Amino acid sequence: MNPRQTETIVEPTGGWRFLDWRELWAYRDLLWLLVWRDFVARYKQTILGPLWFIVQPLLTTLVFTLVFNRFAKIPTSGIAPVLFYQCGLLGWNYFSQTFQSTAATLTGNAGLFGKVYFPRLIIPLAGVVSNLTAFVIQLLTFFVIYAIFAFTGELGEAHIGWNVVLLPLVLLQIGLFSLGAGLWLAALTAKFRDFVVLATFLVQLWMYATPVIYPLVQVPAHWRTLVALNPMTMPVECLRHMLLGTGSVGPHLLMLSLMMTLLTIVSGIFMFKRIEKNFVDVI
Amino acid sequence: MNKPAIEVHGLSKCYQLGAIGTTSLRDEAAALIQKLQGKAPAVDKREFWALRDVSFTIQPGEVVGFIGRNGAGKSTLLKLLSRITEPTRGRAIMRGRVASLLEVGTGFHPELSGRDNIFLNGAILGMTRAEVRAKFDEIVAFAEVGQFIDTPVKRYSSGMYVRLAFAVAAHLEPDILIVDEVLAVGDSEFQKKCLGKMQDVAGGGRTVLFVSHNIGAVTTLTKRCVLLVAGRLLHDGPTSVTLERYLEHTHSTVQTYEAPAQTTPRTHLRRVTTVTSEAAGVQAALRPLTIRIELALAEPLPIGVLVLSLINQFQQIVAQTHLEPIAPLLSGGGAELVCHFPSLRLAPGSYSVSIGLGERPGGRVLDQVNEVCGFEVARLGKGEGAWNQDGGLYLEDSHWARG
């Protein structure tokens, strides 16, 4: 018989289970193929293709500049508003896209999950990776705008810091947090369809609780810890610190943010694992 | 002595009727409030055992067929063994690499080329990229898609699509292969090819679990067969014996169907009765057949349509007739409708009746009963056995003369 004799056991599993790392690793090829599928399919289906990744954040930046800066006069720490918002949206967009794609995991793939078994987590993991393409394109756009401002001598205080080499770590935190929060919502959506509507709404509200359109220094000092409880606060401020040389990043706020992220991802995986096993019965 | 490839012990799956599906927060909140007030929640907690206490053992290299009517639990069993859903009770151990094929083309992406889809589908079915690459040429040759391999599959004909999908699955090379009804797709030429491929797989010492309505395919492929009836294992033995039991079971179906005593508000078809020309559910060919249907409706029906189908032992609909509108025929929320076939032209074989009640043609289905009131059509009287019994699906009326 086969030397790589494996036993598959089918039985009811009770309680809470965490990840089966070995199984995930065995399906790593599927992860890359899904990432690549997302990439190819996304370009083939739209007229503007990858241009959307540039146009959408640019338009948002323009609207923010008009509304929040010109009309509402919210200060941007002495940084040109276009750069300030573009930078804030970098991390935020990666979060909101990944969060929403993860939240749709179960409901969006019900047909597939009902026909074939593979570790369900592969699907949201692929989303975490494939949404990076949008981030990279947006980052390049940012660099172009930055270069234009540098060329015209309007950078002011803004400067890209040496700590930009730590950017992948910030991305990792955003990725893990959006995965964790998305898995929570995916599990809840499987149980209550109300949460489908809630996901979009939640993201909209969440942005105002995150220093995307305002710098964290604008928040009264005694409220800052509260705002930093939101795990997205520190990553957004960190990116600003790396790319614009502004932003308030402190060790204890950072620790708090990391703790919250860890809590979200671990509990999210537990929740998801509990729901996924019999999910196809309740579609 | 090798350990068995598959051991199944008391596998059961229970679904909660009424509670199935997702609830809304409002319902859940209401139930919680009731609970807090000490009232029992008004949730319909009826249980439905799709599979009950099924046990069997399969040795490596065995090819075993699973037969039974729709809803007998075959699909549930396959889903459990494929790990798509978990059992409520019991346990199954499978030794070796398992691949299940409950549908061909799962996860195909229309925008991607045939080549890309082969890799993607292979990975979904559990192959690594290296494995797919090694088999790639064989898959393309088997699927006969040739020069279209770099065309997006959305431009494929349905035949090409299915061929490609089956080709990927057929080259999986697992130790245990679980197959459901995939042979019901494609043209007959390709079906033959698929059967051949499955025989190769079986011949190669692999264990195959095969579920099908296609009695012919089951006979060709398997030596051993399991019969499931209403979620229970009724018979496990040589294919010929199991098939006999299966057909026997089909015959013994009562001639009167009555809606279960515990009815839901959706139960409108109360009783169905077939009145055959002979006793014991035997219908002589070309003799009259009568089917009576008792309806009960709580609310008036604006139009109403009733569809009656005659199903043969291969679950094919061989005849259909419908009545519309039925509203004028109702009185006091109920009616007995009679459908009369003056001269039943069905060829000899086993048949059953399926009935659907709808609001209007193409509208909502109000109630349906499937495959009830089985009866046997036989040629009685003169000329019996004078010709091939298997000739044709129905008996056409004809006149012969010298030209």
Side-chain angles (χ1 to χ4, degrees), chain B residues 192-216:
Chain B
K192 265 185 211 156
K193 203 168 154 183
C194 295
L195 272 175
K197 183 71 194 174
M198 300 239 325
Q199 265 167 327
D200 290 350
V201 171
R206 298 205 179 79
T207 313
V208 182
L209 269 69
F210 179 53
V211 163
S212 182
H213 279 139
N214 185 333
I215 306 273

Side-chain angles (χ1 to χ4, degrees), chain A residues 6 8 10-11 13 29 190 281, chain B residues 13 22 86 91-92 94 96 129:
Chain A
T6 48
T8 311
V10 169
E11 62 186 343
T13 53
D29 277 1
D281 299 344
Chain B
K13 177 74 182 180
T22 50
E86 280 193 354
R91 181 180 161 92
M94 288 174 283
R129 265 184 291 185

Side-chain angles (χ1 to χ4, degrees), chain A residues 36-47, chain B residues 107-117 120 148-156 161:
Chain A
W36 170 82
R37 176 199 71 176
D38 285 352
F39 186 76
V40 177
R42 208 171 280 173
Y43 292 123
K44 285 193 175 169
Q45 274 168 332
T46 53
I47 306 166
Chain B
F108 263 37
H109 197 290
E111 296 288 336
L112 299 185
S113 68
R115 180 188 302 275
D116 299 345
N117 268 308
L120 184 62
F148 298 110
I149 192 65
D150 288 311
T151 310
V153 295
K154 66 176 175 187
R155 302 201 203 289
Y156 278 28
Y161 187 92

Side-chain angles (χ1 to χ4, degrees), chain B residues 342-381:
Chain B
S343 160
L344 194 76
R345 299 194 173 279
L346 295 180
S350 305
Y351 297 88
S352 62
V353 180
S354 290
I355 294 166
L357 174 70
E359 272 183 337
R360 70 191 116 79
R364 201 158 54 96
V365 175
L366 297 172
D367 192 11
Q368 56 184 14
V369 293
N370 291 317
E371 294 176 53
V372 295
C373 301
F375 59 93
E376 181 83 2
V377 175
R379 274 216 165 245
L380 302 173

Side-chain angles (χ1 to χ4, degrees), chain A:
Chain A
M1 284 278 312
N2 210 313
R4 39 175 192 150
Q5 183 71 273
T6 48
E7 272 194 9
T8 311
I9 294 176
V10 169
E11 62 186 343
T13 53
W16 303 89
R17 291 171 305 160
F18 199 59
L19 292 178
D20 185 344
W21 297 99
R22 226 174 29 171
E23 194 185 37
L24 274 181
W25 179 246
Y27 277 89
R28 63 191 181 280
D29 277 1
L30 176 60
L31 176 73
W32 294 120
L33 282 163
L34 285 173
V35 168
W36 170 82
R37 176 199 71 176
D38 285 352
F39 186 76
V40 177
R42 208 171 280 173
Y43 292 123
K44 285 193 175 169
Q45 274 168 332
T46 53
I47 306 166
L48 285 179
L51 267 182
W52 276 120
F53 294 140
I54 302 173
V55 173
Q56 191 248 349
L58 271 184
L59 280 177
T60 318
T61 301
L62 281 178
V63 172
F64 281 6
T65 307
L66 270 179
V67 175
F68 297 118
N69 192 260
R70 288 287 142 80
F71 304 160
K73 305 259 187 272
I74 297 175
T76 52
S77 303
I79 304 289
V82 172
L83 278 177
F84 184 88
Y85 296 132
Q86 185 76 11
C87 179
L89 283 170
L90 265 174
W92 180 257
N93 280 350
Y94 179 51
F95 163 75
S96 79
Q97 280 156 10
T98 311
F99 172 73
Q100 290 186 64
S101 69
T102 306
T105 303
L106 290 176
T107 39
N109 292 284
L112 187 59
F113 289 173
K115 290 297 175 193
V116 63
Y117 174 82
F118 54 85
R120 303 324 192 192
L121 263 176
I122 291 281
I123 296 266
L125 278 174
V128 171
V129 180
S130 64
N131 284 327
L132 280 177
T133 41
F135 177 85
V136 169
I137 292 172
Q138 218 182 309
L139 186 65
L140 292 177
T141 320
F142 172 83
F143 284 142
V144 170
I145 300 173
Y146 185 90
I148 295 170
F149 273 81
F151 190 71
T152 54
E154 282 171 45
L155 270 183
E157 299 278 299
H159 61 276
I160 296 179
W162 60 268
N163 51 9
V164 76
V165 293
L166 296 176
L167 192 135
L169 287 179
V170 179
L171 271 187
L172 184 69
Q173 193 199 339
I174 303 180
L176 284 178
F177 175 66
S178 10
L179 183 66
L183 288 178
W184 261 99
L185 212 69
L188 289 171
T189 328
K191 192 105 179 78
F192 310 105
R193 282 298 143 97
D194 312 36
F195 282 93
V196 178
V197 192
L198 203 65
T200 351
F201 181 56
L202 201 64
V203 167
Q204 280 171 7
L205 283 188
W206 204 325
M207 196 189 76
Y208 294 102
T210 309
V212 176
I213 49 165
Y214 54 88
L216 189 59
V217 280
Q218 284 297 116
V219 177
H222 56 283
W223 277 44
R224 248 169 248 172
T225 318
L226 195 70
V227 176
L229 265 180
N230 165 9
M232 275 310 291
T233 301
M234 273 301 113
V236 168
E237 283 289 305
C238 281
L239 284 178
R240 216 168 257 152
H241 200 269
M242 290 167 182
L243 297 171
L244 296 174
T246 169
S248 19
V249 180
H252 74 279
L253 292 186
L254 214 51
M255 278 308 288
L256 191 65
S257 172
L258 287 175
M259 294 278 283
M260 288 301 290
T261 303
L262 211 64
L263 192 72
T264 315
I265 180 75
V266 171
S267 62
I269 290 172
F270 273 124
M271 272 309 282
F272 184 78
K273 292 292 275 185
R274 197 173 168 81
I275 295 288
E276 61 149 25
K277 58 183 183 184
N278 282 325
F279 164 70
V280 295
D281 299 344
V282 296
I283 317 168

Side-chain angles (χ1 to χ4, degrees), chain B residues 301-346:
Chain B
L301 206 56
I303 306 170
V305 58
L306 199 69
V307 180
L308 189 153
S309 315
L310 297 179
I311 318 285
N312 70 8
Q313 66 255 50
F314 307 114
Q315 260 82 21
Q316 293 167 310
I317 298 173
V318 285
Q320 202 165 61
T321 170
H322 70 280
L323 174 67
E324 176 227 335
I326 53 175
L329 303 169
L330 298 172
S331 61
E336 188 184 38
L337 303 170
V338 181
C339 178
H340 189 70
F341 297 89
S343 160
L344 194 76
R345 299 194 173 279
L346 295 180

